[in-house]
């Protein structure tokens, strides 16, 4: 069954990016749709985010967004994908970020999502 499959980080952000946060995206019924990954490259100060769809789940809506807390920039990717939304990058050395994402459903109604505000400062 595809929803039971492991969904480890796929490395799409590139070399020197280390996972600093991971959220399993499940519906209210407990169906695993995907995984949100936040990575950081300490050598260049960039964060990278993606919403990775569980393999074999087919095409579904997915989004990932990184913003500087309090304004000043950001990046996002959203649409219908079969593997992942992103990667999106944001330079945030010595700044806090807002990390937002969603998966499943439509662009206006998600089946699962997250909104981590004013986090990963430094």
């Amino acid at each position: 069954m595809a929803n039971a499959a492991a969904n480890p980080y796929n490395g799409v952000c590139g070399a020197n990016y280390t996972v600093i946060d991971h959220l399993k995206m499940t519906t209210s019924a407990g169906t695993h749709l995907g995984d949100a990954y936040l990575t950081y490259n300490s050598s260049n100060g960039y964060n990278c985010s993606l919403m990775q769809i569980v393999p074999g789940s087919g095409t579904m809506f997915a989004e990932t967004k990184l913003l500087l807390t309090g304004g000043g920039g950001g990046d996002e990717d959203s649409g219908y994908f079969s593997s992942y939304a992103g990667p999106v990058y944001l330079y945030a050395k010595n700044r806090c970020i807002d990390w937002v994402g969603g998966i499943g459903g439509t662009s206006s109604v998600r089946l699962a999502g997250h909104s981590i505000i004013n986090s990963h400062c430094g």
Side-chain angles (χ1 to χ4, degrees):
M1 178 175 179
N3 289 328
N7 195 24
Y9 170 62
N10 64 12
V12 72
C13 289
N16 300 318
Y17 282 87
T18 302
V19 174
I20 60 171
D21 209 339
H22 166 242
L23 298 168
K24 185 175 179 179
M25 298 287 103
T26 58
T27 66
S28 59
T31 303
H32 180 201
L33 298 176
D35 294 85
Y37 287 98
L38 178 64
T39 66
Y40 183 70
N41 183 329
S42 61
S43 65
N44 67 15
Y46 276 84
N47 289 92
C48 174
S49 174
L50 70 140
M51 180 63 73
Q52 195 169 290
I53 297 165
V54 170
S57 296
T59 299
M60 68 177 67
F61 184 83
E63 69 176 339
T64 188
K65 189 181 305 185
L66 285 173
L67 304 166
L68 289 173
T69 298
D75 194 11
E76 65 182 287
D77 187 29
S78 65
Y80 289 86
F81 304 99
S82 59
S83 53
Y84 56 86
V88 297
Y89 297 89
L90 180 65
Y91 181 78
K93 192 168 190 165
N94 301 317
R95 297 283 308 267
C96 298
I97 63 168
D98 300 340
W99 179 40
V100 181
I103 190 166
T106 66
S107 60
S108 59
V109 178
R110 316 292 181 285
L111 297 178
H114 68 90
S115 183
I116 312 298
I117 305 301
N118 197 26
S119 67
H120 299 287
C121 304

